[in-house]
Amino acid sequence: MQIREILPPEMEAARRLLQAAGWAGRVSDPARFRELLSRSQRTLVAIEDREVVGFLRALTDGMENGYIAMLVVAERHRRKGIGRALVQAVMGNDPGITWVLRAAREGVAGFYERIGFVRSQVAMERPRARKSGN
């Protein structure tokens, strides 16, 4: 398995992977998804046998803070360490950076806790307005 920055020909495969995992409302428009990736500092894929089997999108200043915005692994490839590898690759080895995320999907909090994240006592959010159909 290879973890690396996404290449333009892999963007559609990553979008379809997200759709299959329940993100359809957020990634339904291919052009908007490409723009979303272009505005993100880090967009990683996990490649196995030339197939995109995992995807991670993150925003970071590389010094103090990072935010993992999207993480998905193809269902048939889960529990193989791919999600953990994507998270490790984006975070690197700098313990001085605080990484945050929203673990709202069913079962996601346990995954992040197993790899060292803790529930925050200080986070706040202003949720985005929901469009009809999203």
Side-chain angles (χ1 to χ4, degrees):
M1 178 188 59
Q2 180 186 25
I3 304 283
R4 60 170 168 68
E5 292 288 332
I6 195 168
L7 300 174
E10 298 162 339
M11 290 180 180
E12 181 59 20
R15 190 181 74 80
R16 285 193 311 266
L17 184 62
L18 285 158
Q19 282 183 311
W23 292 76
R26 301 293 291 272
V27 299
S28 60
D29 180 343
R32 184 172 168 83
F33 181 67
R34 285 191 303 277
E35 183 175 352
L36 182 70
L37 298 189
S38 75
R39 294 181 182 210
S40 302
Q41 282 91 14
R42 300 296 310 273
T43 51
L44 303 179
V45 286
I47 304 292
E48 190 168 275
D49 297 325
R50 296 189 311 243
E51 177 187 359
V52 174
V53 297
F55 171 77
L56 182 144
R57 182 176 77 85
L59 308 171
T60 182
D61 56 28
M63 297 172 61
E64 295 286 333
N65 299 294
Y67 172 66
I68 297 173
M70 293 176 160
L71 172 63
V72 64
V73 174
E75 191 161 348
R76 70 182 187 283
H77 291 279
R78 292 181 186 161
R79 303 206 183 283
K80 296 180 181 179
I82 295 170
R84 177 187 297 262
L86 284 162
V87 171
Q88 260 322 115
V90 81
M91 291 191 322
N93 296 320
D94 187 345
I97 298 177
T98 298
W99 285 88
V100 297
L101 55 93
R102 292 179 63 209
R105 294 182 182 274
E106 182 82 24
V108 171
F111 164 77
Y112 284 107
E113 288 170 344
R114 287 190 297 278
I115 62 173
F117 282 77
V118 295
R119 295 178 190 268
S120 175
Q121 300 292 319
V122 296
M124 297 181 73
E125 73 174 326
R126 187 187 105 188
R128 71 183 182 105
R130 300 259 179 210
K131 297 177 186 174
S132 62
N134 286 347

